[in-house]
Amino acid sequence: MKKILLPNGLSVSEVALGAMMFGTTVSKRDAYECLDLFLEMGGNFIDTSNNYAHWAGTGDESETLLGEYLRDRGCRDRVVLATKVGFDRHGEGAGLKKEQIEYWIDQSLRKLKTDYVDLYYAHTDDPEAPLEETMEAFDSLIKKGKVRNLGASNFDTWRLAEANLLAREKGLTPYTVMQQRFTYLNPKFGAAPKYAYNEAVNRERMRFLCDKKMPLVAYSCLCKGAYENSERLPADYESGGRMELIRSMAREKGVTPSAIVVAWLTNLHRCQGFPRVIPLFSASPAHLKENLCGLELSLTDSELETMNAAE
């Protein structure tokens, strides 16, 4: 698997492995098998959060399992570890005020059995927390060595721009990665997101990221398996011609439709107005292998143009 050098200096695999359900609906045995396979295939970018998966447990399970894995395999130095702060977990933890950020990073480090995380995301915007307070708190973690880089997830574009402008003016560490919901299918016009700020990425946001040379980590990029099974398609996405095209290309190339989506995402930066996109997904070991076949596909400029023009 190729490595990408991000503007913040991190060298990450071109795909990120999501650990959201590790320790809850994904057993420890299956999670270890998936992590082993991902590292064997050259992956190193692993994504979790301080609240995964609180809807299926306490919210501590994913970080705890990853900490055990890193200890058992002795592979912390081979992993670019990302976690998050700011979302609710059973009525606690929501927000980006100084005391919340400082408290939850220590909880994450304890569970992850490490003294630093490579990338720390603000998991969602907090309009109640002054931007200066939030950015100063994150910058303090950088200076203490607990965090090495900052990212923003589930932010409006203008809010991320304001946060980074403030950081630049105050000499603080800016956000250098955006994580947002993005896939090949088009979202339905006017469909409200599940949470206030987890809008699907549109072309205006893509142009912003491209201009700022900021990579997009694309979560929910495989639509919960909907490219193989339309019954799994989230209600806020269109199917139509784009789904037909993906499935037709998959048949022609002898791979799964999800592999075609992975190929499209990892090649999208070749097109004008698009930044580097890093697909983020979780899968069983068998499906992980199938999805990663997309990294071996060569999409021509003509194929990319056809895919981008489809409706």
Side-chain angles (χ1 to χ4, degrees):
M1 199 180 307
K2 294 177 183 176
K3 298 296 189 297
I4 302 165
L5 184 63
L6 301 185
N8 57 22
L10 285 177
S11 178
V12 302
S13 49
E14 54 189 331
V15 162
L17 179 65
M20 178 186 288
M21 304 310 298
F22 288 0
T24 50
T25 60
V26 177
S27 69
K28 182 175 182 177
R29 183 188 66 181
D30 289 347
Y32 271 45
E33 184 178 354
C34 196
L35 288 160
D36 285 342
L37 176 62
F38 186 64
L39 266 61
E40 287 168 9
M41 296 184 72
N44 71 343
F45 197 8
I46 299 176
D47 182 274
T48 186
S49 173
N50 75 326
N51 73 333
Y52 287 165
H54 71 94
W55 53 93
T58 67
D60 299 312
E61 290 84 357
S62 177
E63 287 186 325
T64 298
L65 186 147
L66 282 175
E68 293 171 351
Y69 178 83
L70 295 173
R71 177 199 61 199
D72 293 346
R73 296 293 193 261
C75 62
R76 177 65 185 92
D77 61 343
R78 295 174 53 201
V79 167
V80 175
L81 187 59
T83 193
K84 312 181 189 75
V85 62
F87 247 126
D88 175 73
R89 34 170 294 151
H90 297 296
E92 64 173 3
L96 294 174
K97 293 185 177 177
K98 179 176 184 287
E99 63 271 18
Q100 293 169 305
I101 291 170
E102 291 179 343
Y103 174 79
W104 287 107
I105 186 60
D106 287 339
Q107 295 301 306
S108 290
L109 293 175
R110 175 182 58 81
K111 288 179 286 181
L112 290 165
K113 304 186 190 308
T114 185
D115 56 4
Y116 72 96
V117 293
D118 299 281
L119 179 60
Y120 201 38
Y121 287 104
H123 202 168
T124 186
D125 193 10
D126 176 12
E128 302 301 317
L131 276 179
E132 187 167 355
E133 177 180 343
T134 297
M135 300 310 289
E136 285 180 346
F138 279 134
D139 185 69
S140 175
L141 300 186
I142 296 281
K143 288 181 168 62
K144 292 175 182 176
K146 295 181 178 183
V147 171
R148 296 192 170 175
N149 298 277
L150 300 178
S153 179
N154 300 304
F155 266 61
D156 287 340
T157 308
W158 67 272
R159 281 283 286 180
L160 184 143
E162 285 199 344
N164 277 359
L165 176 61
L166 183 147
R168 186 165 64 248
E169 291 175 344
K170 300 288 184 180
L172 305 173
T173 307
Y175 297 124
T176 53
V177 177
M178 175 176 279
Q179 185 177 131
Q180 200 75 15
R181 186 165 58 104
F182 181 59
T183 188
Y184 178 67
L185 297 180
N186 289 319
K188 291 181 179 177
F189 180 76
K194 184 176 182 181
Y195 303 107
Y197 305 108
N198 73 326
E199 303 278 355
V201 171
N202 60 18
R203 287 183 181 254
E204 183 274 339
R205 188 185 297 255
M206 284 297 197
R207 290 191 295 272
F208 170 83
L209 294 174
C210 186
D211 180 72
K212 302 304 179 185
K213 297 181 173 55
M214 185 179 295
L216 172 70
V217 177
Y219 74 83
S220 297
C221 64
L222 299 182
C223 277
K224 301 180 179 180
Y227 290 101
E228 282 72 39
N229 181 358
S230 296
E231 293 181 359
R232 300 177 65 89
L233 183 67
D236 54 347
Y237 279 100
E238 301 282 1
S239 180
R242 287 203 158 200
M243 183 70 87
E244 292 174 7
L245 177 59
I246 285 289
R247 290 177 174 172
S248 174
M249 291 181 69
R251 288 190 296 270
E252 290 175 6
K253 295 180 181 293
V255 296
T256 65
S258 288
I260 298 291
V261 176
V262 170
W264 178 75
L265 290 167
T266 53
N267 282 277
L268 197 51
H269 65 283
R270 291 165 45 195
C271 305
Q272 185 175 4
F274 290 94
R276 170 69 72 171
V277 178
I278 301 171
L280 165 64
F281 55 84
S282 188
S284 67
H287 287 155
L288 180 61
K289 280 186 176 181
E290 292 175 348
N291 296 342
L292 293 180
C293 285
L295 300 179
E296 301 170 4
L297 296 179
S298 296
L299 295 181
T300 65
D301 291 344
S302 177
E303 286 174 323
L304 285 170
E305 184 178 344
T306 297
M307 294 176 77
N308 292 342
E311 297 181 356

